[in-house]
Amino acid sequence: MGGASAWPYKSTGKSRGLVLLALGIVKVATAEQLRQLVLPGTVDVQTVRNACKDLRSAGLVESVGRTSFLAASGRPVWRDVWNLTPAGLASAASEVGRPVREMGGTAREAAMAGAPHALAVTDTIDAFRQSPPLPTKPVARRTTTTGAVPAPARILPARPPGLGHLRGWETEVPLPVSGTFTTPARGSLRADAVLRAPEDGVPVMFVEVDNHTEPSAVVARKIDGYRRFFRRTAKDHQGREVPFWSTLWDDSHHDGYPPLALVFAKDVSPEVVMNRMTAIRDLSTDCWQGTWTGGSSHDRTARDGYRDYTATIPVLTTTLARLRQHGPHGPVWWRYGHPAWQTLETALDNPDDHRAFHTREEQRRTEHHAREERERQEREAVRAREKAAAWACPTCGREVRAGDGWETAPSGPPGGDCGVCTSAKNRAREAVEVRAAGEPQGREEAGRNGLFGFLR
């Protein structure tokens, strides 16, 4: 980008390239934000300011707006907001590694207005990224008496592990409910940011930054807008219906749609931010809550089941302050439907989905089969004991077992007749008794009536 004489502020090619890379991603940023994103190991922010000024002299960046914040003294501190020019957008495309048509705009109008929302998105990307401070080459100091003196070693601040790389981010990404990504239809959303970090187990994550400037109902409608986009389908090269979003981004292999992170950037009390998180949760329940399926095939008394997250959005919430302090891998995420703050890996999981249920169902199946096997063995043991104690019926010779039944002795000591023979003998004895009881009565009546008694 020209010789040393072309850069009046003596910035290095590396620092200029990194500034173009950062602005190609986030579109607008202060020098302090740019330093955090790409040059956190520098001594101070002047290295980045010099790079911005040299790029401005080349017509690649500009500063058309300013932003402010309150210092500890209560006085406002003003900072320049930097953005790309059209020529800078083309140069940044080569640094980012994307075609110019996929780079979006220069965000000049947002920069002129101070870009409060865009700057909050930049802070959010930095909190996700957590660029590790790498030491720069120390510059030797010279004195007139002792000559060159090495610069003292600096202690660099430690940062928690980050997520992904800067080139994995996109901002102001259209999500067309109809039309194309380059020409979305009216009513389509634009994601504040989209992250691809497959190397960290996150193929894609959509990010919305909330500054408390919209009612909770509006934010909830945005979540529903994401669901409308995720429901859209298209035909692949084989003519099959596939999710439209999957034509651009990879699947996460979790049930449901890609995750949506809501980052609450405004510095407010924990009670205020939790009330807002809860309100948005309650207004968007249909978008993130899975469908409950209950019942067990092996235990009808079990009050168990699972949630089907097939057509739901995993909504993860956090605050910018927590994200900055602990990083994206820390316990900073409250996923709607989960009970507590969790790490990213845990928050992305569905502990009450079909996997855990099938594990429990398999345990019930194993217990059911074990119970059936125990009962079968007990029955076999009873039959074995009965068979060992059986004897031959003295009358008919069939096998007799103790107990009640057709082939078992109804009563009496072992060695007696079987139930069949016992019943037959009982019936014969009863018949004999009946005949015996009837004979005396018959003789008495015959004596009274005589031979012609029937004629009376």
Side-chain angles (χ1 to χ4, degrees):
M1 294 193 304
S5 60
W7 310 110
Y9 292 92
K10 310 302 181 187
S11 62
T12 64
K14 178 182 178 180
S15 62
R16 293 191 299 271
L18 289 174
V19 167
L20 285 174
L21 168 64
L23 288 177
I25 299 295
V26 301
K27 299 300 188 293
V28 293
T30 65
E32 288 75 12
Q33 288 178 319
L34 291 171
R35 180 190 178 211
Q36 285 293 98
L37 282 171
V38 292
L39 289 166
T42 53
V43 176
D44 54 37
V45 75
Q46 193 59 44
T47 301
V48 175
R49 287 200 185 103
N50 289 343
C52 290
K53 292 176 180 179
D54 276 341
L55 290 170
R56 179 172 58 186
S57 67
L60 300 179
V61 304
E62 60 182 355
S63 178
V64 294
R66 304 187 78 193
T67 185
S68 66
F69 68 94
L70 291 179
S73 62
R75 292 186 175 184
V77 176
W78 292 89
R79 289 175 176 172
D80 293 332
V81 176
W82 295 91
N83 63 281
L84 296 167
T85 64
L89 192 66
S91 297
S94 62
E95 296 290 340
V96 176
R98 298 175 190 159
V100 177
R101 66 178 180 275
E102 297 180 6
M103 291 293 292
T106 62
R108 190 173 197 272
E109 293 183 359
M112 291 178 66
H117 184 73
L119 294 178
V121 174
T122 299
D123 283 334
T124 299
I125 292 176
D126 174 58
F128 268 97
R129 178 70 188 91
Q130 296 286 346
S131 302
L134 301 177
T136 55
K137 184 178 180 180
V139 178
R141 298 180 179 179
R142 295 188 178 274
T143 66
T144 57
T145 57
T146 60
V149 177
R154 292 187 299 115
I155 300 176
L156 298 174
R159 303 189 80 181
L163 183 64
H165 300 280
L166 189 57
R167 287 184 175 87
W169 285 92
E170 298 177 79
T171 54
E172 290 297 310
V173 181
L175 308 178
V177 293
S178 61
T180 65
F181 285 104
T182 53
T183 57
R186 184 185 297 273
S188 298
L189 285 176
R190 282 186 177 271
D192 285 341
V194 179
L195 169 64
R196 300 187 209 205
E199 67 278 7
D200 287 334
V202 183
V204 62
M205 174 183 281
F206 295 80
V207 179
E208 286 292 323
V209 179
D210 182 72
N211 274 334
H212 291 229
T213 57
E214 297 173 321
S216 300
V218 174
V219 181
R221 284 198 296 272
K222 283 186 180 181
I223 299 175
D224 184 64
Y226 272 92
R227 182 171 61 168
R228 290 174 56 208
F229 167 69
F230 290 141
R231 284 176 171 174
R232 183 182 175 185
T233 60
K235 292 187 180 296
D236 64 4
H237 63 283
Q238 296 181 348
R240 299 173 301 182
E241 290 285 337
V242 297
F244 182 68
W245 64 266
S246 69
T247 62
L248 187 60
W249 295 291
D250 293 332
D251 191 1
S252 64
H253 304 297
H254 288 286
D255 286 344
Y257 299 131
L260 170 63
L262 296 181
V263 180
F264 295 82
K266 189 172 183 179
D267 186 14
V268 294
S269 68
E271 292 77 12
V272 171
V273 71
M274 182 54 67
N275 289 340
R276 185 166 175 82
M277 287 179 176
T278 304
I280 295 171
R281 178 201 63 183
D282 296 342
L283 292 169
S284 61
T285 301
D286 290 344
C287 298
W288 55 262
Q289 187 176 65
T291 303
W292 179 256
T293 300
S296 170
S297 301
H298 306 288
D299 186 356
R300 294 183 178 180
T301 63
R303 302 182 61 181
D304 198 3
Y306 65 92
R307 289 197 179 276
D308 183 2
Y309 291 94
T310 301
T312 61
I313 304 174
V315 181
L316 284 63
T317 64
T318 189
T319 64
L320 181 56
R322 293 177 69 95
L323 197 59
R324 279 173 168 163
Q325 180 180 1
H326 303 288
H329 295 289
V332 303
W333 300 103
W334 177 37
R335 176 175 170 178
Y336 287 159
H338 286 202
W341 297 100
Q342 299 171 325
T343 63
L344 181 61
E345 181 180 2
T346 304
L348 289 176
D349 193 22
N350 299 315
D352 58 349
D353 68 359
H354 60 89
R355 296 168 303 157
F357 172 75
H358 288 167
T359 299
R360 296 191 298 272
E361 189 74 342
E362 180 63 21
Q363 178 66 26
R364 283 189 287 266
R365 185 191 69 81
T366 301
E367 293 174 354
H368 177 73
H369 288 176
R371 184 168 57 252
E372 287 185 334
E373 179 62 19
R374 287 194 304 271
E375 293 173 353
R376 185 192 67 80
Q377 291 177 358
E378 289 173 358
R379 291 192 298 269
E380 290 290 337
V382 169
R383 284 194 290 267
R385 289 194 299 270
E386 290 176 349
K387 187 173 182 63
W391 65 90
C393 176
T395 302
C396 68
R398 67 162 49 95
E399 185 180 83
V400 184
R401 300 179 185 181
D404 297 330
W406 180 253
E407 295 185 352
T408 58
S411 61
D417 288 332
C418 67
V420 175
C421 294
T422 299
S423 298
K425 289 180 178 181
N426 288 339
R427 287 195 299 272
R429 184 176 61 254
E430 290 172 357
V432 170
E433 291 175 353
V434 168
R435 287 195 301 271
E439 288 178 356
Q441 183 178 359
R443 287 195 298 268
E444 180 182 349
E445 290 182 354
R448 287 198 309 268
N449 296 332
L451 180 62
F452 301 101
F454 68 92
L455 294 177
R456 292 180 182 176

